[in-house]
Amino acid sequence: MNASNLPLLLIIFSLQTNFVYLSLSYDRDQGDYDCGEDDTSDSQTCQMRSRPKEDHKSQIPRDPLIDCHPDKNVNQDSCTARGCLWNEDNDATNAPSCIYPEGHGYLVRGEITQTNNGLEAELERIKTPKIYDSEIYDRLVVTAEYQTESRLRIRIAPVGVKRYEVPKEAVDIPSPETPPSGDRLLYDVTLVEGKPQFGIIVKRKGESVAVFSTDLPGMTYSDQFIQITTRLPSDNLYGFGEHNHRRFRHDMNWKTWSIFTRSIGPIEPDNLYGAHPVYMNIENDGRASVVLLKNSNAMDITLQPSPNPAITYRVIGGILDFYIFMGPSPEQAVQQYIQAIGRPVMPPYWSLGYHLCRWGYKDIEDMKMVINRTRAAGIPYDGQWVDIEYMYKYYDFTYDRKKWTALPEVVQDLHENNQRFVVIIDPGIGANRTIIEEAAVNSPGYNMFDDGVQQDIFIKNESNKVLIGEVWPGVTAFPDFTNPKTQDWWLKWMNFLYHEENIKYDALWIDMNEPASFVHGSTEGCKHTRWNYPPYTPHVAGSEVDGKIYERTICMDYIQHWGRHYDVHSLYGHSEAIQTYNSLLMQSPDKRPWTMTRSSFVGTGKYATKWMGDNESRWSNLHWSIVSIMEFSMFGFSMNGVDICGFWYEAEYEMCLRWHQLGAFYPFARNHNGRWKEQIFRHQDPAAWDQRFVDIVKPVLMTRYRLLPYLYTLMYKAHEEGHMVMKALLFE
């Protein structure tokens, strides 16, 4: 059966049902604690029941197995040197060979204090061998703060030590002035004193099911290595990002995902553009909770399968700052999360239409040809986008007056036809003196780099030297978007493009903002410091050989307003999105700001929408797109999508046709493709194929346009109430 005869709804249904899968068939023992006869009080102090002594082989814990040697070159000698157990009988695929024994972690020191809105206790480390060369903290303070009836915060930090935390300017989840009523809480919190070790247990009010339970060995808290494990009530796990998850429900078979923003295509299981350390777990009875670790440092997340499903966090900085959202339904749990981090931005109505873009327009005549043939074919489309080729030698906020001579007139023509124009902007600011002078001839008054140096808004090292990397313009400097001074400078050059260059853009597309660089660290490399080469290196792309974490980005020891780049790296795109949103609002107060970003963090959806980056023109990528869109809906991006027909490589006819039939129902629908060095891939807009293609795709897009009032209403509900727009069937 060809595509023209296959019912559209059947295509959508079959694609969704292949991916939206939910298994609720798991049961397990919930613990081994003696909390007295009353197991339903708001808080208890529990002692683990004594267990009979076991021989050496039986010392391997029956509960989740916590890896004591997640780095390379594990063997029995290195394992025992860490005070851990060699799991010689391990026959499970990917299960760790070196296991933490009971009694490794912390114990409560003194009394547990009942505060006016929760619990607080001081912890003392159990003396065990030091594993990584990083200052270890012997005393911690743990706070359980009852924030709302359905939201709990658990904060663990060293006593008397000022640590980096995600600043409120980035993500602000305020504590309520008045604590919630205890009899209306959806949760009970228990601090387990030990022995064998401290833990936190969060249960549903009056029930035995623990949604969060850290009373396991292996908790470690040092300057550059923090580890904690929590049991899960089931293995129905969703979330964490950004990655190319090829299934919506996680594979729990000892899978490790790294979180650290990185410029790399969404193909392999690498850490990608965004950082979202948040998950949803669905219990056996269908109830759900969402757990956020508010931490922007690089981390590994290791998933452990049934019969003891668990999550182990290994973070290389910051603090442990968990927020638990109790639902109880999956929809409510995600809604509570989105309301806390910031409800999605409300996009303009026209942004919900169909869009065309291409990295590879040879000149303005090439783009005009696409505009004209699309109109002639009667294809509805609202937005024409342009990639970096419109700039003068890739210098931000300019346009090439030779190849793109009539660009202002083309933009005016788009506006006269009720269409919009969107330009791309990269954060790397060209710093080549020769090209700066040429750009000033092409665009009189242009001196963006020198102005940035004068305003002191670029990222610098501890010696006050501007970091120079390399991106599309060649040598580049990187603005510090965490610096409030950068806001006025950014707006000034946005206005330069809009007014002096007369490019009346309608939205900004911010790319390469992980931040990406074509050289590792800087043009001078990076120093061999503990920031660039941490004692424990998460499994981030590029770290495999020598343990560096700055491959294709900037040095970790450079300084920003919010902190060392080591700590705030994954906030770069987030901070740029905030300042771009604010600048658009100041530039045109009567228009609704719209920014599309590649990199993101927790709460970025409050300021920008999201597309999934450089996918490939392959059938598999069409398939995977459904998972990524549903995940980012959970992450608080009501408007998100992938490049229809794929970005890398040449699209194949039937695949591009089917992709339009699916992509017409993405929240964000844009056809965009690219090039590889000098190879420019074929045009893939609908009118570039043949009349059959147009005859099939046009009705599908018209269906989208008939549904725009409904889609716009969903966007409004997301913006006002924190709902999702495109979501899995399990939320229904």
Side-chain angles (χ1 to χ4, degrees):
M1 181 181 293
N2 63 37
S4 61
N5 296 325
L6 188 62
L8 179 62
L9 293 179
L10 178 59
I11 297 173
I12 300 302
F13 177 76
S14 63
L15 283 167
Q16 285 188 346
T17 52
N18 279 331
F19 280 89
V20 183
Y21 170 71
L22 176 61
S23 171
L24 295 174
S25 59
Y26 172 67
D27 188 23
R28 70 169 185 85
D29 176 31
Q30 291 297 329
D32 194 19
Y33 294 93
D34 185 1
C35 299
E37 293 182 359
D38 180 9
D39 194 32
T40 61
S41 60
D42 287 353
S43 62
Q44 300 113 12
T45 300
C46 302
Q47 297 285 342
M48 181 173 279
R49 297 190 185 114
S50 60
R51 294 174 175 169
K53 293 185 177 180
E54 303 168 355
D55 59 30
H56 177 72
K57 279 192 173 184
S58 64
Q59 289 178 8
I60 301 300
R62 293 172 294 173
D63 259 348
L65 304 179
I66 315 304
D67 193 349
C68 185
H69 208 307
D71 41 356
K72 298 177 182 178
N73 304 319
V74 59
N75 56 55
Q76 187 168 358
D77 290 339
S78 63
C79 178
T80 55
R82 296 182 174 193
C84 294
L85 302 175
W86 185 248
N87 190 11
E88 57 189 10
D89 295 329
N90 171 34
D91 58 358
T93 304
N94 300 324
S97 299
C98 185
I99 309 298
Y100 280 102
E102 297 281 15
H104 190 293
Y106 289 78
L107 297 173
V108 171
R109 181 177 185 267
E111 298 295 323
I112 296 174
T113 303
Q114 184 92 35
T115 67
N116 68 335
N117 62 347
L119 300 171
E120 185 171 289
E122 191 171 306
L123 309 180
E124 187 167 35
R125 188 172 76 92
I126 301 170
K127 300 304 180 184
T128 50
K130 184 177 179 180
I131 293 179
Y132 294 104
D133 186 18
S134 180
E135 179 187 359
I136 196 161
Y137 300 114
D138 290 329
R139 292 171 59 195
L140 308 174
V141 61
V142 56
T143 304
E145 180 185 4
Y146 308 158
Q147 292 202 327
T148 71
E149 298 169 5
S150 59
R151 185 175 83 220
L152 167 70
R153 181 186 186 186
I154 296 173
R155 183 181 184 275
I156 307 175
V159 173
V161 178
K162 184 174 176 57
R163 298 276 293 170
Y164 164 78
E165 300 182 42
V166 174
K168 288 185 177 182
E169 297 92 332
V171 183
D172 186 14
I173 305 178
S175 300
E177 295 182 2
T178 303
S181 173
D183 59 354
R184 301 187 66 179
L185 297 178
L186 298 181
Y187 47 84
D188 290 333
V189 181
T190 299
L191 300 186
V192 179
E193 289 187 350
K195 298 180 178 179
Q197 63 269 322
F198 162 79
I200 304 165
I201 300 176
V202 180
K203 297 181 179 180
R204 296 199 178 276
K205 186 81 169 180
E207 300 186 20
S208 62
V209 175
V211 301
F212 188 81
S213 178
T214 70
D215 51 309
L216 294 163
M219 180 176 168
T220 305
Y221 214 121
S222 65
D223 187 27
Q224 290 184 264
F225 181 77
I226 305 172
Q227 178 174 260
I228 193 169
T229 299
T230 177
R231 294 183 181 88
L232 296 173
S234 83
D235 56 6
N236 299 310
L237 188 72
Y238 307 82
F240 289 127
E242 181 178 3
H243 312 102
N244 177 28
H245 295 147
R246 301 181 181 185
R247 48 185 284 181
F248 189 44
R249 179 176 178 265
H250 270 288
D251 174 7
M252 299 291 290
N253 189 25
W254 300 104
K255 180 67 179 176
T256 294
W257 296 99
S258 299
I259 298 178
F260 190 60
T261 59
R262 162 72 191 237
S263 172
I264 191 170
I267 309 302
E268 300 302 326
D270 298 309
N271 52 299
L272 299 180
Y273 313 112
H276 296 273
V278 58
Y279 70 83
M280 178 181 70
N281 188 239
I282 299 182
E283 299 153 33
N284 296 335
D285 60 3
R287 291 181 295 180
S289 59
V290 167
V291 177
L292 164 70
L293 173 58
K294 195 176 76 170
N295 183 298
S296 60
N297 288 86
M299 68 180 74
D300 280 340
I301 306 291
T302 297
L303 311 180
Q304 186 169 158
S306 294
N308 298 300
I311 298 172
T312 297
Y313 297 85
R314 299 185 188 94
V315 191
I316 64 171
I319 67 167
L320 294 176
D321 196 3
F322 289 101
Y323 291 80
I324 303 174
F325 304 86
M326 298 297 293
S329 72
E331 176 86 14
Q332 289 170 318
V334 172
Q335 184 180 19
Q336 291 156 10
Y337 169 68
I338 293 173
Q339 289 174 340
I341 64 171
R343 296 185 302 275
V345 64
M346 183 66 192
Y349 191 86
W350 63 267
S351 68
L352 304 183
Y354 179 60
H355 302 262
L356 291 178
C357 186
R358 175 171 171 79
W359 178 36
Y361 290 128
K362 297 176 182 178
D363 51 31
I364 195 166
E365 294 302 320
D366 195 23
M367 187 178 77
K368 286 168 63 178
M369 176 184 66
V370 173
I371 295 171
N372 291 333
R373 73 182 176 210
T374 304
R375 289 173 178 172
I379 298 291
Y381 91 109
D382 273 74
Q384 177 63 53
W385 298 49
V386 64
D387 213 307
I388 57 176
E389 59 264 1
Y390 80 96
M391 303 177 189
Y392 180 79
K393 296 189 176 181
Y394 308 136
Y395 273 53
D396 275 351
F397 301 114
T398 67
Y399 81 96
D400 189 329
R401 280 173 160 77
K402 290 185 178 180
K403 291 185 177 181
W404 294 77
T405 305
L407 184 56
E409 289 75 21
V410 171
V411 175
Q412 181 179 351
D413 175 71
L414 287 167
H415 289 161
E416 289 173 353
N417 283 273
N418 295 316
Q419 294 172 297
R420 305 299 193 278
F421 186 63
V422 183
V423 298
I424 194 170
I425 297 294
D426 291 341
I429 306 303
N432 181 294
R433 180 54 51 192
T434 299
I435 301 179
I436 289 173
E437 293 173 358
E438 293 175 0
V441 174
N442 177 85
S443 304
Y446 185 80
N447 65 337
M448 191 173 185
F449 172 74
D450 293 334
D451 188 37
V453 171
Q454 183 178 356
Q455 298 297 325
D456 193 25
I457 54 82
F458 289 122
I459 297 176
K460 296 181 177 181
N461 64 10
E462 292 175 333
S463 301
N464 207 37
K465 182 179 180 181
V466 173
L467 181 145
I468 299 295
E470 184 176 321
V471 201
W472 297 115
V475 291
T476 56
F478 294 86
D480 179 7
F481 292 104
T482 72
N483 187 339
K485 293 195 303 182
T486 308
Q487 180 77 75
D488 290 340
W489 173 83
W490 194 239
L491 174 60
K492 173 182 176 180
W493 293 101
M494 286 170 53
N495 283 331
F496 181 86
L497 178 64
Y498 195 89
H499 296 292
E500 276 68 31
E501 298 286 82
N502 196 29
I503 306 301
K504 307 298 187 187
Y505 57 81
D506 297 283
L508 290 182
W509 169 24
I510 52 178
D511 191 15
M512 305 291 286
N513 53 349
E514 292 73 34
S517 179
F518 298 159
V519 296
H520 304 326
S522 75
T523 54
E524 299 177 353
C526 299
K527 296 179 180 179
H528 201 290
T529 66
R530 65 190 181 103
W531 310 114
N532 296 315
Y533 299 84
Y536 173 80
T537 305
H539 296 71
V540 299
S543 68
E544 302 86 357
V545 176
D546 56 5
K548 67 175 179 292
I549 60 171
Y550 58 84
E551 183 176 285
R552 294 185 67 84
T553 188
I554 66 179
C555 301
M556 296 294 127
D557 51 0
Y558 277 61
I559 306 300
Q560 296 187 237
H561 183 76
W562 283 352
R564 198 182 306 272
H565 191 73
Y566 177 89
D567 295 314
V568 303
H569 169 83
S570 291
L571 296 175
Y572 192 87
H574 178 73
S575 59
E576 184 189 16
I578 293 173
Q579 292 207 351
T580 302
Y581 173 89
N582 291 336
S583 295
L584 285 169
L585 194 59
M586 289 185 282
Q587 185 180 62
S588 301
D590 58 336
K591 293 183 179 180
R592 192 174 295 156
W594 186 33
T595 302
M596 179 64 67
T597 184
R598 188 168 78 172
S599 185
S600 62
F601 186 70
V602 174
T604 303
K606 181 180 178 180
Y607 307 98
T609 57
K610 160 74 178 167
W611 105 105
M612 305 306 169
D614 301 344
N615 62 349
E616 293 183 353
S617 298
R618 304 185 190 277
W619 285 96
S620 58
N621 285 233
L622 179 156
H623 223 180
W624 301 336
S625 71
I626 301 172
V627 177
S628 60
I629 291 174
M630 291 192 301
E631 284 184 335
F632 269 86
S633 294
M634 290 172 54
F635 297 157
F637 292 83
S638 58
M639 188 179 191
N640 70 86
V642 308
D643 288 340
I644 294 173
C645 299
F647 177 77
W648 289 118
Y649 311 120
E650 295 212 346
E652 183 260 329
Y653 184 99
E654 190 71 14
M655 181 210 67
C656 192
L657 188 63
R658 296 300 185 103
W659 209 324
H660 272 91
Q661 291 177 315
L662 171 64
F665 298 93
Y666 290 162
F668 171 60
R670 183 185 68 168
N671 179 320
H672 176 45
N673 71 328
R675 59 187 295 173
W676 177 249
K677 297 181 179 178
E678 298 305 314
Q679 179 189 2
I680 299 178
F681 305 134
R682 62 155 296 147
H683 284 276
Q684 63 184 32
D685 56 281
W689 298 92
D690 61 14
Q691 190 59 44
R692 173 180 177 270
F693 196 103
V694 171
D695 290 343
I696 295 172
V697 168
K698 182 178 176 180
V700 178
L701 292 175
M702 291 303 295
T703 299
R704 176 185 180 86
Y705 274 79
R706 285 194 294 272
L707 292 173
L708 285 191
Y710 176 68
L711 182 58
Y712 192 61
T713 301
L714 292 178
M715 292 290 174
Y716 178 78
K717 288 174 68 67
H719 175 66
E720 288 293 318
E721 301 173 11
H723 289 290
M724 292 174 283
V725 172
M726 181 173 172
K727 56 188 176 181
L729 296 177
L730 65 86
F731 290 103
E732 297 298 330

